[in-house]
Amino acid sequence: MTVIKNNSYILLIFAVCIGFAVMGVMKQEKEQPYTEVTIYEGDTLWSLALHHAEDQPAEQWIKEVMAMNGLATTTIRSGDDLRLPAAVTIGREPVPTQIAGGSR
């Protein structure tokens, strides 16, 4: 018992380190992978959604982009960098391709 009392500060430091490690793992699980793009003249969130949203509805994708970037409106400016949700392809196998006339 005296060992615990004499080394209580070490146990406290150990407990704090474990707590921060758990918090870090939990935060990492919540973070979503993203891709960063530069906005060019004529780009709109709708046009970006057509190219990047994949199977997700455009309206939902635009709301997600606005939340990721802290945008209050859908207005974006040329030269700005924007975070876009990265496409996650878990469990998909690559589709084999064949060039026409490639096999005889």
Side-chain angles (χ1 to χ4, degrees):
M1 192 66 163
T2 59
V3 174
I4 293 174
K5 287 182 181 179
N6 291 339
N7 296 312
S8 62
Y9 60 92
I10 292 175
L11 293 173
L12 178 64
I13 291 172
F14 182 73
V16 169
C17 289
I18 295 294
F20 279 119
V22 169
M23 287 174 30
V25 169
M26 291 174 65
K27 181 180 178 186
Q28 187 176 9
E29 289 176 356
K30 291 180 184 179
E31 289 182 1
Q32 180 181 7
Y34 65 89
T35 304
E36 196 165 292
V37 297
T38 302
I39 303 303
Y40 294 101
E41 188 70 35
D43 282 345
T44 64
L45 288 178
W46 185 262
S47 67
L48 291 172
L50 293 176
H51 292 13
H52 298 280
E54 296 197 2
D55 297 334
Q56 190 175 14
E59 294 83 10
Q60 180 183 358
W61 186 88
I62 290 171
K63 287 179 183 178
E64 192 173 336
V65 170
M66 289 176 66
M68 287 178 77
N69 292 281
L71 300 175
T73 67
T74 57
T75 305
I76 55 176
R77 295 189 184 119
S78 178
D80 286 349
D81 291 326
L82 212 68
R83 289 182 179 182
L84 306 179
V88 179
T89 55
I90 297 173
R92 288 189 180 175
E93 295 294 323
V95 178
T97 57
Q98 185 177 16
I99 299 175
S103 63
R104 288 189 180 219

